Amino acid sequence: MPGSVSFTPALALASLSGEADADWARAGAEYAGAAFLGGIALDADSRAAARRLVERDRTEFLPADPIPFLDRQFAALADVPIQPAFNVRSATIDPIADAARICRDYDAYLEINAHCRQNELCTVGCGEALLRDDARLADYVDRAADTGVTVGVKVRAEVPGVDLATLTRDLEAAGADFVHVDAMDTESVIAEVVEATDLFVIANNGVRDENTVREYLEYGADAVSVGRPSDNPAVLERVAAAVDRLGDLETARYPRSSDARIR
């Protein structure tokens, strides 16, 4: 349930494919309360897509077997004071359950990737393609939730034909605990999601300073996340300081009754 999601400070490191591993999370633990490792492709089709991405000079995690890779990465964070999570991609449902059980055993969060928009991934039914296939995405969430893991979804705003408020209600009904929203250029979408559900809401995109943190918190986000600059200590220090200063910020403009709030 949403109340199971909690990390302090309310700042997460967002996954960077091929870069966000245990060493990356360890380096950011001084500033952040959670780290979303990955993304990692789990099944044959998503791994083939990831290899095609590497061929055009993108970085990807492509271990021989992704499930033991998750285990090793979590084990490497056993002594790090940060909430671990893993962002995963799969064109089929069974590997989602396998990854969920590993995350569950480490008290880590599982984040289903419905966010990546590269054609290679979307063509095989991963990433953003899942936003347009809400029934299949809900099945992924339901299957993961059945393992007892804390599960959420990384989503993207501004996808034609996708209403995030409706989608997140469906994900909540399927058993999701949180949603990680890349707001793109529509920061106010956070308020729409907050009003629609009791999910724990992590706001992402452009989080760099106190102004951006304040805007997302005023829209009702429970936490914010830093993506590309997550390996930049100067940015992380600035955002962490802003989260600390604004931690008691009233969100009366967009109230809700959820007990999942961490401020």
Side-chain angles (χ1 to χ4, degrees):
M1 62 186 218
S4 66
V5 182
S6 177
F7 52 87
T8 303
L11 168 60
L13 309 176
S15 62
L16 301 169
S17 296
E19 300 176 34
D21 59 7
D23 289 339
W24 163 88
R26 182 180 294 271
E30 178 181 353
Y31 310 100
F36 287 81
L37 284 69
I40 187 167
L42 297 177
D43 70 340
D45 285 347
S46 60
R47 286 168 62 78
R51 284 191 289 272
R52 289 192 290 274
L53 290 173
V54 170
E55 289 170 0
R56 60 179 180 92
D57 297 325
R58 288 183 60 89
T59 56
E60 291 288 332
F61 292 118
L62 283 167
D65 190 333
I67 299 300
F69 177 74
L70 267 67
D71 194 307
R72 293 193 299 273
Q73 291 292 299
F74 286 139
L77 290 173
D79 63 337
V80 180
I82 198 165
Q83 172 61 55
F86 229 109
N87 177 286
V88 300
R89 312 179 188 125
S90 185
T92 54
I93 197 168
D94 286 344
I96 295 291
D98 294 337
R101 284 186 283 270
I102 295 291
C103 292
R104 176 201 63 198
D105 291 347
Y106 281 96
D107 292 324
Y109 302 163
L110 177 75
E111 180 174 78
I112 297 168
N113 187 314
H115 172 264
C116 288
R117 54 184 174 180
Q118 288 77 22
N119 287 337
E120 293 88 344
L121 292 166
C122 291
T123 297
V124 299
C126 293
E128 190 180 286
L130 280 168
L131 293 181
R132 298 187 177 90
D133 193 350
D134 55 342
R136 185 161 63 97
L137 181 55
D139 284 345
Y140 279 26
V141 169
D142 178 69
R143 184 73 172 272
D146 280 347
T147 71
V149 76
T150 297
V151 58
V153 182
K154 179 76 179 287
V155 301
R156 178 188 298 279
E158 300 182 356
V159 177
V162 175
D163 181 342
L164 284 186
T166 300
L167 176 68
T168 52
R169 276 195 296 268
D170 292 342
L171 298 180
E172 184 176 20
D177 300 286
F178 68 91
V179 63
H180 193 170
V181 183
D182 181 344
M184 302 297 287
D185 294 319
T186 311
E187 290 81 0
S188 61
V189 74
I190 298 300
E192 296 173 16
V193 172
V194 165
E195 291 176 336
T197 78
D198 282 331
L199 293 175
F200 185 96
V201 179
I202 306 168
N204 171 260
N205 196 287
V207 176
R208 301 291 186 272
D209 53 27
E210 183 164 324
N211 287 338
T212 50
V213 172
R214 179 183 294 275
E215 182 173 24
Y216 283 130
L217 294 184
E218 287 183 342
Y219 281 130
D222 296 290
V224 296
S225 72
V226 174
R228 280 290 153 209
S230 60
D231 59 356
N232 185 328
V235 173
L236 292 181
E237 183 175 18
R238 187 165 63 242
V239 173
V243 168
D244 183 60
R245 284 193 297 271
L246 299 172
D248 293 323
L249 181 69
E250 292 294 333
T251 55
R253 286 169 53 194
Y254 302 102
R256 60 174 175 173
S257 60
S258 171
D259 64 354
R261 309 196 70 78
I262 61 175
R263 297 191 296 284

